[in-house]
Amino acid sequence: MNNLRSRHKTIISRILALSGALAVLIAFSLYGYSQISSSGKTLAQPPFYPVLPPGNPADSIMMPFPVQQTVPADYENLMEDQFAADLQTPSNIKTVAEFDPLTGYYVIRTKLGDTDIS
């Protein structure tokens, strides 16, 4: 009986210690949140440094392999190529809507040839 009582005291003391630690963590979190929200300040965005091409081609380093621009410099460069999202649906993919009289709903099917793909 004495052994059981000491185990209960140990468990209760651990629960109290954990709940105290949790209370301290919540208090610090609420304090930090109140400091951030009461200041009214928002985080500033980091500065943007555009990469400019060299004014004189002699100033640039000649690379042993071709290097292409990966990020469009302006809107015109962005829109001059065709995107994959702008491609048309291939002719062998068909989307059809069929009425299901059992459920009373239309079922939209997309087929690749004779195979349902969605």
Side-chain angles (χ1 to χ4, degrees):
M1 181 73 172
N2 202 12
N3 188 19
L4 184 63
R5 188 173 294 181
S6 66
R7 286 182 63 197
H8 284 298
K9 285 183 181 180
T10 305
I11 291 172
I12 290 173
S13 65
R14 287 182 182 174
I15 290 173
L16 289 175
L18 287 174
S19 63
L22 183 62
V24 169
L25 179 66
I26 290 172
F28 276 118
S29 299
L30 290 174
Y31 175 74
Y33 179 75
S34 68
Q35 293 296 315
I36 292 172
S37 62
S38 67
S39 67
K41 295 180 181 177
T42 58
L43 295 176
Q45 287 191 346
F48 174 71
Y49 299 108
V51 177
L52 300 174
N56 183 359
D59 292 340
S60 63
I61 299 172
M62 296 304 294
M63 302 296 285
F65 47 86
V67 177
Q68 296 177 349
Q69 183 177 1
T70 57
V71 178
D74 54 14
Y75 183 75
E76 286 76 24
N77 284 349
L78 179 67
M79 294 309 208
E80 68 186 16
D81 291 331
Q82 186 179 21
F83 294 117
D86 294 336
L87 296 176
Q88 294 180 354
T89 305
S91 62
N92 61 344
I93 295 181
K94 301 290 182 195
T95 302
V96 294
E98 301 170 346
F99 183 73
D100 185 7
L102 295 176
T103 61
Y105 292 107
Y106 282 91
V107 178
I108 299 174
R109 301 182 193 276
T110 303
K111 294 184 176 187
L112 174 63
D114 293 331
T115 307
D116 280 338
I117 58 174
S118 72

